[in-house]
Amino acid sequence: MGEILILPAPVSVERGTGVFDAPHPWGLHAPEAAVDAIALLGDRVRPAAQAEAQVIFECVAEGHGPEGYALSIESAGVRVEAETREGFLHAVASLRQLLGDGPLPAVRIQDAPRFRWRGLHVDVARHAFALPDLMRFVDAMALQKFNRLHWHLTDDQGWRIEIKRWPKLTSIGSKRAESPKRGARDEGDGVPYEAHYTQAEVRAFVAYAAARGITVVPEIDMPGHAQAALSAYPEFGSGAPAEVWTRWGISKRLFSVREETLAFLDDVLAEVAALFPGPYIHLGGDEAPTAEWEVCPAAAERMQAEGVDDARALQGWFHRRMATTLARLGKRPVAWDEVLECGAPPETIVMAWRDAAHAQTAARAGHDVVLCPMTHCYFDHYQGPVASEPEAIGGYTDLAKVRAYEPLDASWSPAEAEHLLGVQGNLWSEYIHDAEHLETMAWPRGSALAEVAWSSTAARTEGHADARLTHMLTLLASLGVTHWRPSS
Ligand code: ACM
Protein backbone atom coordinates (compact mmCIF):
# COMPACT_ATOMS: atom_id res chain seq x y z
CA MET A 1 0.00 0.00 0.00
CA GLY A 2 1.30 3.46 -0.90
CA GLU A 3 2.00 6.52 1.19
CA ILE A 4 -0.61 8.32 3.26
CA LEU A 5 -1.25 11.35 1.08
CA ILE A 6 -3.20 14.02 2.92
CA LEU A 7 -2.97 17.67 1.95
CA PRO A 8 -2.35 19.80 3.96
CA ALA A 9 0.23 17.55 5.62
CA PRO A 10 -0.95 16.53 9.10
CA VAL A 11 1.03 17.06 12.30
CA SER A 12 1.74 13.36 12.71
CA VAL A 13 1.02 10.21 10.72
CA GLU A 14 1.91 6.78 12.11
CA ARG A 15 1.38 3.77 9.90
CA GLY A 16 -0.14 0.69 11.54
CA THR A 17 -0.41 -2.82 10.24
CA GLY A 18 -3.33 -4.22 8.34
CA VAL A 19 -6.27 -2.56 6.65
CA PHE A 20 -9.91 -1.69 7.28
CA ASP A 21 -11.79 -3.49 4.57
CA ALA A 22 -15.48 -3.58 5.52
CA PRO A 23 -18.03 -3.22 2.71
CA HIS A 24 -20.04 0.00 2.43
CA PRO A 25 -22.10 1.44 3.88
CA TRP A 26 -20.24 1.42 7.17
CA GLY A 27 -22.31 1.57 10.32
CA LEU A 28 -21.48 4.91 11.93
CA HIS A 29 -22.12 6.34 15.37
CA ALA A 30 -21.51 10.06 15.88
CA PRO A 31 -22.49 12.95 18.16
CA GLU A 32 -24.58 15.92 17.08
CA ALA A 33 -21.43 18.04 16.60
CA ALA A 34 -20.36 15.74 13.74
CA VAL A 35 -23.58 15.97 11.72
CA ASP A 36 -22.20 18.30 9.03
CA ALA A 37 -18.98 16.30 8.81
CA ILE A 38 -20.83 13.01 8.40
CA ALA A 39 -23.00 14.46 5.64
CA LEU A 40 -19.83 14.84 3.57
CA LEU A 41 -19.29 11.07 3.66
CA GLY A 42 -22.50 10.58 1.70
CA ASP A 43 -23.69 7.03 1.17
CA ARG A 44 -20.47 5.41 2.36
CA VAL A 45 -21.99 5.41 5.85
CA ARG A 46 -25.29 4.65 7.55
CA PRO A 47 -26.34 5.45 11.11
CA ALA A 48 -25.75 2.64 13.61
CA ALA A 49 -25.94 2.10 17.35
CA GLN A 50 -22.60 2.45 19.09
CA ALA A 51 -22.32 -1.28 19.86
CA GLU A 52 -22.51 -2.27 16.21
CA ALA A 53 -20.82 0.74 14.56
CA GLN A 54 -17.58 0.24 12.66
CA VAL A 55 -16.93 3.96 12.49
CA ILE A 56 -17.15 5.92 15.73
CA PHE A 57 -16.91 9.67 16.12
CA GLU A 58 -16.47 10.85 19.67
CA CYS A 59 -16.61 14.34 21.11
CA VAL A 60 -13.93 14.77 23.77
CA ALA A 61 -13.37 17.62 26.21
CA GLU A 62 -9.70 18.23 25.59
CA GLY A 63 -6.54 17.19 23.81
CA HIS A 64 -7.15 18.40 20.28
CA GLY A 65 -7.82 22.15 20.46
CA PRO A 66 -10.53 24.12 18.70
CA GLU A 67 -9.87 22.67 15.24
CA GLY A 68 -7.78 19.55 15.81
CA TYR A 69 -8.71 15.88 15.59
CA ALA A 70 -7.37 12.37 15.85
CA LEU A 71 -8.18 9.79 13.20
CA SER A 72 -7.34 6.19 13.82
CA ILE A 73 -7.91 3.39 11.32
CA GLU A 74 -7.47 -0.23 12.39
CA SER A 75 -8.66 -3.48 10.87
CA ALA A 76 -11.58 -3.50 13.36
CA GLY A 77 -12.81 -0.01 12.53
CA VAL A 78 -12.33 3.74 12.32
CA ARG A 79 -12.31 6.13 15.24
CA VAL A 80 -12.38 9.92 15.14
CA GLU A 81 -11.96 12.20 18.15
CA ALA A 82 -12.43 15.96 18.21
CA GLU A 83 -13.58 18.68 20.59
CA THR A 84 -15.59 20.65 18.07
CA ARG A 85 -17.67 20.58 14.91
CA GLU A 86 -14.66 22.05 13.07
CA GLY A 87 -12.43 19.25 14.31
CA PHE A 88 -14.86 16.65 12.93
CA LEU A 89 -15.05 18.47 9.58
CA HIS A 90 -11.25 18.42 9.31
CA ALA A 91 -11.13 14.73 10.25
CA VAL A 92 -13.58 13.95 7.47
CA ALA A 93 -11.60 16.07 5.01
CA SER A 94 -8.61 13.84 5.80
CA LEU A 95 -10.63 10.63 5.71
CA ARG A 96 -12.07 11.52 2.29
CA GLN A 97 -8.53 11.82 0.96
CA LEU A 98 -7.81 8.23 1.99
CA LEU A 99 -10.97 6.76 0.52
CA GLY A 100 -10.61 4.94 -2.73
CA ASP A 101 -11.94 1.74 -4.21
CA GLY A 102 -9.70 -0.44 -2.04
CA PRO A 103 -9.31 -0.93 1.72
CA LEU A 104 -8.23 1.84 4.07
CA PRO A 105 -4.67 1.54 5.41
CA ALA A 106 -4.20 1.26 9.17
CA VAL A 107 -2.93 4.60 10.43
CA ARG A 108 -3.05 6.97 13.40
CA ILE A 109 -3.22 10.65 12.60
CA GLN A 110 -2.99 13.53 15.06
CA ASP A 111 -3.63 16.90 13.54
CA ALA A 112 -4.29 20.58 14.24
CA PRO A 113 -3.73 23.74 12.22
CA ARG A 114 -0.76 26.06 12.45
CA PHE A 115 -2.91 29.15 11.69
CA ARG A 116 -6.49 30.09 12.52
CA TRP A 117 -7.23 32.09 9.34
CA ARG A 118 -6.81 30.01 6.20
CA GLY A 119 -8.38 32.04 3.47
CA LEU A 120 -8.97 32.54 -0.19
CA HIS A 121 -10.39 35.74 -1.63
CA VAL A 122 -12.57 35.87 -4.72
CA ASP A 123 -13.32 39.12 -6.55
CA VAL A 124 -16.77 38.97 -8.12
CA ALA A 125 -16.92 42.68 -8.92
CA ARG A 126 -14.72 42.65 -12.03
CA HIS A 127 -16.09 39.28 -13.21
CA ALA A 128 -18.73 37.38 -11.27
CA PHE A 129 -19.03 33.60 -11.00
CA ALA A 130 -22.27 31.65 -10.89
CA LEU A 131 -23.35 30.24 -7.55
CA PRO A 132 -22.82 26.55 -8.49
CA ASP A 133 -19.27 27.46 -9.56
CA LEU A 134 -18.64 29.22 -6.26
CA MET A 135 -20.06 26.23 -4.40
CA ARG A 136 -17.65 23.95 -6.23
CA PHE A 137 -14.89 26.36 -5.24
CA VAL A 138 -15.99 25.97 -1.62
CA ASP A 139 -15.91 22.16 -1.99
CA ALA A 140 -12.29 22.41 -3.12
CA MET A 141 -11.42 24.76 -0.27
CA ALA A 142 -13.07 22.61 2.40
CA LEU A 143 -11.25 19.47 1.29
CA GLN A 144 -7.98 21.37 1.90
CA LYS A 145 -9.11 22.76 5.27
CA PHE A 146 -9.46 26.41 4.29
CA ASN A 147 -11.89 28.15 6.63
CA ARG A 148 -12.40 31.69 5.24
CA LEU A 149 -13.75 32.80 1.90
CA HIS A 150 -13.31 36.55 1.49
CA TRP A 151 -15.99 37.64 -0.99
CA HIS A 152 -15.08 40.91 -2.72
CA LEU A 153 -18.61 42.00 -3.60
CA THR A 154 -18.29 45.66 -4.57
CA ASP A 155 -15.89 47.75 -6.59
CA ASP A 156 -15.68 50.45 -9.22
CA GLN A 157 -16.72 48.05 -11.98
CA GLY A 158 -19.76 46.50 -10.32
CA TRP A 159 -21.90 46.14 -7.18
CA ARG A 160 -22.93 42.52 -6.84
CA ILE A 161 -25.08 42.12 -3.70
CA GLU A 162 -28.78 42.99 -3.49
CA ILE A 163 -29.55 45.63 -0.84
CA LYS A 164 -33.31 45.90 -0.47
CA ARG A 165 -33.41 49.41 0.96
CA TRP A 166 -31.21 50.76 -1.87
CA PRO A 167 -32.30 48.87 -5.02
CA LYS A 168 -30.38 50.99 -7.52
CA LEU A 169 -27.13 49.51 -6.17
CA THR A 170 -27.95 46.49 -8.29
CA SER A 171 -30.45 47.83 -10.86
CA ILE A 172 -27.80 50.38 -11.93
CA GLY A 173 -24.60 49.49 -10.07
CA SER A 174 -24.40 45.87 -11.21
CA LYS A 175 -24.27 46.81 -14.91
CA ARG A 176 -21.43 48.26 -16.91
CA ALA A 177 -21.62 49.36 -20.52
CA GLU A 178 -18.58 47.33 -21.51
CA SER A 179 -15.32 45.89 -20.18
CA PRO A 180 -11.72 46.39 -21.24
CA LYS A 181 -10.94 44.42 -24.37
CA ARG A 182 -8.91 41.27 -23.86
CA GLY A 183 -5.37 41.85 -25.02
CA ALA A 184 -5.91 45.62 -25.37
CA ARG A 185 -6.73 46.86 -21.91
CA ASP A 186 -7.09 50.53 -22.90
CA GLU A 187 -9.88 49.79 -25.37
CA GLY A 188 -13.47 48.73 -24.66
CA ASP A 189 -14.94 45.45 -25.87
CA GLY A 190 -18.37 46.95 -26.59
CA VAL A 191 -20.11 44.14 -24.66
CA PRO A 192 -22.45 45.10 -21.78
CA TYR A 193 -21.81 43.17 -18.55
CA GLU A 194 -24.09 42.61 -15.59
CA ALA A 195 -24.34 40.24 -12.63
CA HIS A 196 -25.52 40.26 -9.06
CA TYR A 197 -26.50 37.90 -6.25
CA THR A 198 -29.95 38.18 -4.70
CA GLN A 199 -30.22 38.03 -0.93
CA ALA A 200 -31.72 34.53 -1.22
CA GLU A 201 -28.69 33.44 -3.24
CA VAL A 202 -26.30 35.00 -0.74
CA ARG A 203 -28.04 33.17 2.11
CA ALA A 204 -27.88 29.86 0.25
CA PHE A 205 -24.19 30.29 -0.52
CA VAL A 206 -23.26 31.33 3.01
CA ALA A 207 -25.13 28.32 4.43
CA TYR A 208 -23.47 25.96 1.94
CA ALA A 209 -20.04 27.25 2.96
CA ALA A 210 -20.88 27.14 6.68
CA ALA A 211 -21.92 23.49 6.44
CA ARG A 212 -18.39 22.84 5.16
CA GLY A 213 -16.63 24.83 7.87
CA ILE A 214 -16.06 27.96 5.82
CA THR A 215 -16.98 31.42 7.06
CA VAL A 216 -17.75 33.81 4.23
CA VAL A 217 -16.31 37.28 4.89
CA PRO A 218 -18.16 39.86 2.77
CA GLU A 219 -16.28 42.95 1.62
CA ILE A 220 -18.01 46.26 1.01
CA ASP A 221 -15.13 48.42 -0.16
CA MET A 222 -15.07 52.04 1.11
CA PRO A 223 -14.37 54.93 0.86
CA GLY A 224 -12.73 54.17 -2.51
CA HIS A 225 -13.44 51.44 -5.07
CA ALA A 226 -16.98 52.83 -4.81
CA GLN A 227 -17.69 54.04 -8.33
CA ALA A 228 -20.40 51.45 -9.06
CA ALA A 229 -22.31 52.44 -5.91
CA LEU A 230 -21.89 56.10 -6.80
CA SER A 231 -23.19 55.55 -10.32
CA ALA A 232 -26.42 54.40 -8.65
CA TYR A 233 -26.51 57.09 -5.96
CA PRO A 234 -24.29 60.01 -7.06
CA GLU A 235 -25.63 62.06 -4.12
CA PHE A 236 -23.41 59.99 -1.80
CA GLY A 237 -20.23 60.83 -3.67
CA SER A 238 -17.74 63.58 -2.98
CA GLY A 239 -17.15 64.50 -6.63
CA ALA A 240 -18.80 64.52 -10.04
CA PRO A 241 -21.25 61.77 -11.05
CA ALA A 242 -19.80 58.86 -13.05
CA GLU A 243 -20.99 55.66 -14.69
CA VAL A 244 -20.05 52.17 -13.52
CA TRP A 245 -16.42 52.07 -14.60
CA THR A 246 -15.58 50.28 -17.84
CA ARG A 247 -11.82 50.19 -17.31
CA TRP A 248 -9.65 48.45 -14.71
CA GLY A 249 -7.54 50.50 -12.30
CA ILE A 250 -8.05 52.76 -9.30
CA SER A 251 -10.94 55.19 -9.59
CA LYS A 252 -10.73 58.61 -7.94
CA ARG A 253 -14.38 58.43 -6.83
CA LEU A 254 -14.93 58.35 -3.06
CA PHE A 255 -17.96 58.17 -0.83
CA SER A 256 -18.48 61.51 0.89
CA VAL A 257 -18.34 62.04 4.65
CA ARG A 258 -21.76 63.71 4.79
CA GLU A 259 -24.29 62.41 7.33
CA GLU A 260 -26.59 61.18 4.54
CA THR A 261 -23.82 59.03 3.09
CA LEU A 262 -22.88 57.57 6.45
CA ALA A 263 -26.55 56.73 7.09
CA PHE A 264 -26.73 55.05 3.66
CA LEU A 265 -23.63 52.97 4.44
CA ASP A 266 -25.08 52.10 7.85
CA ASP A 267 -28.15 50.71 6.06
CA VAL A 268 -26.01 48.71 3.66
CA LEU A 269 -23.92 47.26 6.47
CA ALA A 270 -27.03 46.38 8.49
CA GLU A 271 -28.41 44.34 5.58
CA VAL A 272 -25.04 42.72 4.97
CA ALA A 273 -24.66 41.89 8.66
CA ALA A 274 -28.03 40.14 8.64
CA LEU A 275 -27.03 37.97 5.67
CA PHE A 276 -23.65 36.85 7.01
CA PRO A 277 -23.79 35.14 10.41
CA GLY A 278 -19.98 35.09 10.66
CA PRO A 279 -18.23 37.60 12.93
CA TYR A 280 -16.46 39.65 10.23
CA ILE A 281 -17.26 42.33 7.68
CA HIS A 282 -14.44 43.63 5.49
CA LEU A 283 -14.56 47.40 5.01
CA GLY A 284 -12.00 47.61 2.20
CA GLY A 285 -10.04 50.82 2.68
CA ASP A 286 -7.45 50.13 -0.02
CA GLU A 287 -6.36 52.48 -2.77
CA ALA A 288 -8.46 55.50 -1.82
CA PRO A 289 -6.97 58.55 -3.58
CA THR A 290 -7.78 61.63 -1.48
CA ALA A 291 -7.99 64.10 -4.40
CA GLU A 292 -11.79 64.47 -4.18
CA TRP A 293 -11.81 64.98 -0.42
CA GLU A 294 -9.08 67.60 -0.70
CA VAL A 295 -11.46 69.88 -2.59
CA CYS A 296 -14.81 68.76 -1.17
CA PRO A 297 -16.51 71.33 1.11
CA ALA A 298 -18.23 68.56 3.14
CA ALA A 299 -14.84 66.94 3.76
CA ALA A 300 -13.36 70.29 4.85
CA GLU A 301 -16.28 70.82 7.21
CA ARG A 302 -15.90 67.33 8.67
CA MET A 303 -12.15 67.77 9.17
CA GLN A 304 -12.72 71.01 11.01
CA ALA A 305 -15.53 69.63 13.16
CA GLU A 306 -13.59 66.49 14.08
CA GLY A 307 -10.17 68.11 14.43
CA VAL A 308 -8.76 65.99 11.62
CA ASP A 309 -5.60 67.34 9.97
CA ASP A 310 -5.79 66.20 6.38
CA ALA A 311 -7.68 64.08 3.88
CA ARG A 312 -5.66 60.93 4.62
CA ALA A 313 -6.41 61.24 8.33
CA LEU A 314 -10.05 61.75 7.36
CA GLN A 315 -10.01 58.22 5.93
CA GLY A 316 -9.07 57.07 9.43
CA TRP A 317 -11.99 59.00 10.88
CA PHE A 318 -14.27 57.45 8.23
CA HIS A 319 -13.02 53.91 8.96
CA ARG A 320 -13.46 54.39 12.72
CA ARG A 321 -16.97 55.71 12.13
CA MET A 322 -17.92 52.62 10.08
CA ALA A 323 -16.22 50.35 12.62
CA THR A 324 -18.58 51.84 15.22
CA THR A 325 -21.50 50.76 13.05
CA LEU A 326 -20.08 47.25 12.86
CA ALA A 327 -19.64 47.13 16.62
CA ARG A 328 -23.32 48.01 17.00
CA LEU A 329 -24.15 45.21 14.55
CA GLY A 330 -22.03 42.75 16.53
CA LYS A 331 -19.39 42.44 13.77
CA ARG A 332 -15.65 42.89 13.71
CA PRO A 333 -14.01 45.03 11.00
CA VAL A 334 -11.40 43.70 8.62
CA ALA A 335 -9.60 46.12 6.31
CA TRP A 336 -6.69 46.35 3.88
CA ASP A 337 -3.41 47.58 5.34
CA GLU A 338 -3.83 51.22 4.19
CA VAL A 339 -6.07 51.80 7.22
CA LEU A 340 -2.98 51.49 9.41
CA GLU A 341 -1.67 54.76 8.04
CA CYS A 342 -4.74 56.75 8.97
CA GLY A 343 -5.63 55.35 12.36
CA ALA A 344 -7.65 52.15 12.66
CA PRO A 345 -9.27 51.08 15.94
CA PRO A 346 -7.52 48.19 17.71
CA GLU A 347 -10.27 45.68 16.89
CA THR A 348 -9.72 46.06 13.11
CA ILE A 349 -8.09 42.97 11.59
CA VAL A 350 -5.49 44.25 9.16
CA MET A 351 -5.01 42.41 5.88
CA ALA A 352 -1.44 43.03 4.77
CA TRP A 353 -1.40 42.94 0.97
CA ARG A 354 1.40 45.33 0.07
CA ASP A 355 4.11 43.49 1.99
CA ALA A 356 4.86 41.62 5.20
CA ALA A 357 6.33 44.76 6.82
CA HIS A 358 2.81 46.18 7.00
CA ALA A 359 1.68 43.06 8.83
CA GLN A 360 4.44 43.44 11.41
CA THR A 361 3.71 47.13 11.88
CA ALA A 362 0.06 46.26 12.44
CA ALA A 363 0.90 43.45 14.86
CA ARG A 364 3.22 45.75 16.82
CA ALA A 365 0.35 48.22 17.08
CA GLY A 366 -1.80 45.44 18.59
CA HIS A 367 -3.90 44.52 15.55
CA ASP A 368 -4.65 40.96 14.59
CA VAL A 369 -3.33 40.50 11.07
CA VAL A 370 -3.77 38.29 8.02
CA LEU A 371 -0.88 38.00 5.59
CA CYS A 372 -1.68 38.09 1.88
CA PRO A 373 1.34 39.87 0.44
CA MET A 374 1.48 40.45 -3.31
CA THR A 375 4.85 38.73 -3.39
CA HIS A 376 3.41 35.28 -2.57
CA CYS A 377 -0.38 35.38 -2.27
CA TYR A 378 -1.70 37.16 -5.38
CA PHE A 379 -3.02 34.34 -7.50
CA ASP A 380 -4.08 36.74 -10.25
CA HIS A 381 -0.38 36.96 -11.11
CA TYR A 382 1.25 34.88 -13.84
CA GLN A 383 2.25 31.38 -12.80
CA GLY A 384 4.10 30.40 -15.96
CA PRO A 385 5.94 32.07 -18.85
CA VAL A 386 4.03 35.21 -19.86
CA ALA A 387 4.18 34.36 -23.55
CA SER A 388 2.35 31.05 -23.14
CA GLU A 389 -0.13 31.97 -20.39
CA PRO A 390 -3.56 33.59 -20.68
CA GLU A 391 -3.34 37.35 -20.12
CA ALA A 392 -2.96 38.15 -16.40
CA ILE A 393 -2.72 41.38 -14.46
CA GLY A 394 1.07 41.12 -14.21
CA GLY A 395 3.50 39.87 -11.60
CA TYR A 396 4.92 36.38 -11.36
CA THR A 397 3.98 34.04 -8.52
CA ASP A 398 4.56 30.45 -9.44
CA LEU A 399 3.84 27.28 -7.47
CA ALA A 400 7.42 27.00 -6.22
CA LYS A 401 7.24 30.48 -4.75
CA VAL A 402 4.02 29.76 -2.87
CA ARG A 403 5.44 26.49 -1.58
CA ALA A 404 8.54 28.25 -0.31
CA TYR A 405 6.51 30.92 1.46
CA GLU A 406 7.29 31.21 5.17
CA PRO A 407 4.95 33.72 6.81
CA LEU A 408 6.83 33.93 10.09
CA ASP A 409 10.50 34.66 9.62
CA ALA A 410 12.98 35.32 12.41
CA SER A 411 12.20 39.03 12.41
CA TRP A 412 8.81 38.39 14.08
CA SER A 413 8.90 38.67 17.85
CA PRO A 414 6.74 36.21 19.81
CA ALA A 415 4.41 39.06 20.75
CA GLU A 416 3.97 40.05 17.09
CA ALA A 417 3.51 36.43 16.02
CA GLU A 418 0.63 36.08 18.51
CA HIS A 419 -1.29 38.55 16.35
CA LEU A 420 -0.79 36.68 13.09
CA LEU A 421 -4.13 34.99 12.48
CA GLY A 422 -3.02 33.38 9.26
CA VAL A 423 -2.68 33.68 5.52
CA GLN A 424 -4.87 34.20 2.50
CA GLY A 425 -4.56 33.92 -1.30
CA ASN A 426 -6.24 36.61 -3.38
CA LEU A 427 -7.96 36.07 -6.71
CA TRP A 428 -8.67 39.44 -8.33
CA SER A 429 -10.76 38.89 -11.43
CA GLU A 430 -9.95 41.65 -13.92
CA TYR A 431 -8.30 39.04 -16.14
CA ILE A 432 -10.19 35.99 -14.86
CA HIS A 433 -13.28 35.72 -17.02
CA ASP A 434 -14.95 32.47 -16.05
CA ALA A 435 -15.05 29.72 -13.43
CA GLU A 436 -12.68 27.40 -15.25
CA HIS A 437 -10.09 30.16 -15.46
CA LEU A 438 -10.66 30.92 -11.76
CA GLU A 439 -9.87 27.30 -10.95
CA THR A 440 -6.69 27.26 -13.03
CA MET A 441 -5.49 30.38 -11.22
CA ALA A 442 -6.44 28.96 -7.81
CA TRP A 443 -5.05 25.44 -8.08
CA PRO A 444 -2.43 24.18 -7.46
CA ARG A 445 -1.13 27.44 -5.95
CA GLY A 446 -4.01 27.40 -3.47
CA SER A 447 -3.12 23.85 -2.47
CA ALA A 448 0.42 24.98 -1.69
CA LEU A 449 -1.02 27.82 0.40
CA ALA A 450 -3.31 25.36 2.21
CA GLU A 451 -0.14 23.67 3.46
CA VAL A 452 1.46 26.99 4.43
CA ALA A 453 -1.71 27.81 6.38
CA TRP A 454 -2.29 24.47 8.08
CA SER A 455 0.93 22.45 8.26
CA SER A 456 4.08 23.02 10.25
CA THR A 457 7.03 24.08 8.12
CA ALA A 458 8.69 20.75 8.90
CA ALA A 459 5.64 18.67 7.92
CA ARG A 460 5.07 20.43 4.63
CA THR A 461 8.66 20.55 3.46
CA GLU A 462 9.70 16.99 4.34
CA GLY A 463 8.51 13.86 2.66
CA HIS A 464 6.01 13.60 -0.10
CA ALA A 465 4.96 17.11 -1.05
CA ASP A 466 4.80 16.35 -4.78
CA ALA A 467 2.81 13.15 -4.28
CA ARG A 468 0.40 14.91 -1.90
CA LEU A 469 -0.18 17.62 -4.46
CA THR A 470 -0.69 15.19 -7.34
CA HIS A 471 -3.17 13.21 -5.25
CA MET A 472 -5.03 16.40 -4.31
CA LEU A 473 -5.31 17.48 -7.93
CA THR A 474 -6.82 14.07 -8.77
CA LEU A 475 -9.32 14.47 -5.93
CA LEU A 476 -10.19 17.96 -7.13
CA ALA A 477 -10.78 16.59 -10.62
CA SER A 478 -13.22 14.08 -9.09
CA LEU A 479 -15.14 17.08 -7.69
CA GLY A 480 -15.22 18.61 -11.18
CA VAL A 481 -12.53 21.16 -10.29
CA THR A 482 -9.81 21.79 -12.84
CA HIS A 483 -6.29 23.14 -12.27
CA TRP A 484 -3.39 24.80 -14.06
CA ARG A 485 -0.98 22.79 -16.13
CA PRO A 486 2.27 24.13 -17.50
CA SER A 487 2.08 24.68 -21.26
CA SER A 488 4.73 22.63 -22.99
C1 ACM B 1 -5.64 45.37 -3.24
O1 ACM B 1 -5.00 44.57 -3.93
N1 ACM B 1 -6.04 46.53 -3.74
C2 ACM B 1 -6.00 45.08 -1.88
Side-chain angles (χ1 to χ4, degrees):
M1 191 153 287
E3 291 302 327
I4 299 292
L5 299 175
I6 294 174
L7 184 155
V11 170
S12 94
V13 176
E14 268 176 62
R15 290 298 290 269
T17 49
V19 296
F20 174 65
D21 196 17
H24 301 135
W26 302 320
L28 177 143
H29 184 80
E32 182 63 29
V35 164
D36 285 334
I38 302 305
L40 299 172
L41 289 170
D43 57 11
R44 281 189 180 261
V45 295
R46 62 176 168 77
Q50 182 153 13
E52 56 190 63
Q54 297 144 304
V55 180
I56 293 189
F57 282 57
E58 191 179 343
C59 208
V60 295
E62 56 187 26
H64 302 294
E67 293 196 82
Y69 67 91
L71 166 64
S72 154
I73 302 174
E74 296 176 2
S75 51
V78 176
R79 185 179 160 79
V80 170
E81 269 185 17
E83 295 175 29
T84 61
R85 171 184 179 275
E86 286 70 27
F88 289 122
L89 282 162
H90 299 320
V92 164
S94 292
L95 183 57
R96 287 170 66 206
Q97 297 185 39
L98 300 176
L99 296 173
D101 294 332
L104 284 175
V107 68
R108 291 166 77 87
I109 295 168
Q110 291 278 353
D111 204 6
R114 181 179 184 195
F115 292 115
R116 285 170 280 172
W117 187 294
R118 303 178 300 280
L120 288 177
H121 150 289
V122 178
D123 170 12
V124 292
R126 277 53 177 261
H127 289 102
F129 308 99
L131 227 50
D133 295 326
L134 289 176
M135 288 173 171
R136 206 169 58 250
F137 195 79
V138 159
D139 293 342
M141 287 177 69
L143 189 61
Q144 300 171 80
K145 304 187 177 86
F146 282 101
N147 66 351
R148 303 277 183 266
L149 190 150
H150 171 171
W151 207 9
H152 186 80
L153 285 161
T154 70
D155 215 299
D156 298 315
Q157 295 85 5
W159 180 285
R160 304 279 171 241
I161 179 170
E162 178 189 24
I163 301 296
K164 295 205 191 271
R165 177 99 191 263
W166 298 96
K168 287 194 284 184
L169 285 170
T170 43
S171 67
I172 295 176
S174 74
K175 302 173 184 174
R176 62 178 180 256
E178 61 175 0
S179 306
K181 199 167 171 175
R182 299 191 197 187
R185 27 183 104 173
D186 297 330
E187 294 171 38
D189 66 1
V191 183
Y193 187 91
E194 75 174 274
H196 78 273
Y197 306 99
T198 65
Q199 293 203 350
E201 288 172 325
V202 168
R203 277 202 180 86
F205 179 57
V206 168
Y208 185 90
R212 287 153 183 80
I214 293 176
T215 301
V216 182
V217 180
E219 180 181 353
I220 306 296
D221 209 339
M222 61 183 81
H225 288 284
Q227 188 167 323
L230 296 175
S231 72
Y233 296 103
E235 61 270 37
F236 299 137
S238 54
E243 312 266 276
V244 179
W245 210 14
T246 57
R247 295 293 182 270
W248 311 138
I250 304 169
S251 164
K252 293 192 171 55
R253 307 288 159 212
L254 294 195
F255 285 118
S256 78
V257 286
R258 296 169 61 233
E259 280 309 317
E260 293 82 345
T261 305
L262 302 173
F264 157 78
L265 290 170
D266 284 351
D267 283 350
V268 168
L269 291 174
E271 288 197 32
V272 170
L275 289 168
F276 292 84
Y280 316 106
I281 293 183
H282 198 302
L283 294 175
D286 57 323
E287 299 175 323
T290 52
E292 283 192 349
W293 280 359
E294 279 157 23
V295 295
C296 169
E301 224 173 273
R302 181 69 73 184
M303 286 193 266
Q304 173 136 41
E306 302 290 343
V308 168
D309 287 344
D310 58 27
R312 183 54 71 209
L314 187 59
Q315 186 184 345
W317 177 86
F318 176 92
H319 174 75
R320 292 191 295 276
R321 166 66 181 73
M322 300 324 295
T324 308
T325 298
L326 292 193
R328 203 173 58 242
L329 295 167
K331 303 292 181 187
R332 187 164 174 203
V334 187
W336 300 110
D337 59 40
E338 283 95 331
V339 298
L340 264 184
E341 279 140 36
C342 50
E347 70 270 21
T348 297
I349 297 173
V350 172
M351 241 178 211
W353 69 277
R354 289 177 294 178
D355 54 38
H358 283 95
Q360 266 176 287
T361 307
R364 263 197 298 280
H367 293 278
D368 284 346
V369 297
V370 174
L371 267 167
C372 52
M374 285 200 289
T375 48
H376 293 82
C377 296
Y378 267 46
F379 298 162
D380 56 338
H381 286 182
Y382 283 97
Q383 58 191 319
V386 171
S388 54
E389 287 294 302
E391 184 185 19
I393 199 162
Y396 187 80
T397 302
D398 64 3
L399 174 65
K401 200 167 176 188
V402 183
R403 278 179 148 177
Y405 181 39
E406 176 45 60
L408 272 177
D409 64 29
S411 67
W412 286 73
S413 71
E416 288 163 11
E418 275 288 299
H419 282 293
L420 179 57
L421 299 181
V423 297
Q424 177 174 290
N426 293 344
L427 287 148
W428 299 99
S429 64
E430 287 94 334
Y431 299 92
I432 299 179
H433 302 93
D434 56 40
E436 188 178 333
H437 192 186
L438 181 74
E439 290 173 0
T440 61
M441 297 304 268
W443 318 112
R445 291 183 289 189
S447 306
L449 192 71
E451 295 220 308
V452 173
W454 178 281
S455 309
S456 69
T457 309
R460 74 177 154 98
T461 53
E462 286 167 13
H464 306 279
D466 287 337
R468 278 198 304 279
L469 186 59
T470 303
H471 182 53
M472 176 49 65
L473 296 178
T474 306
L475 293 169
L476 291 180
S478 74
L479 299 176
V481 174
T482 190
H483 63 87
W484 178 81
R485 292 170 181 81
S487 43
S488 45

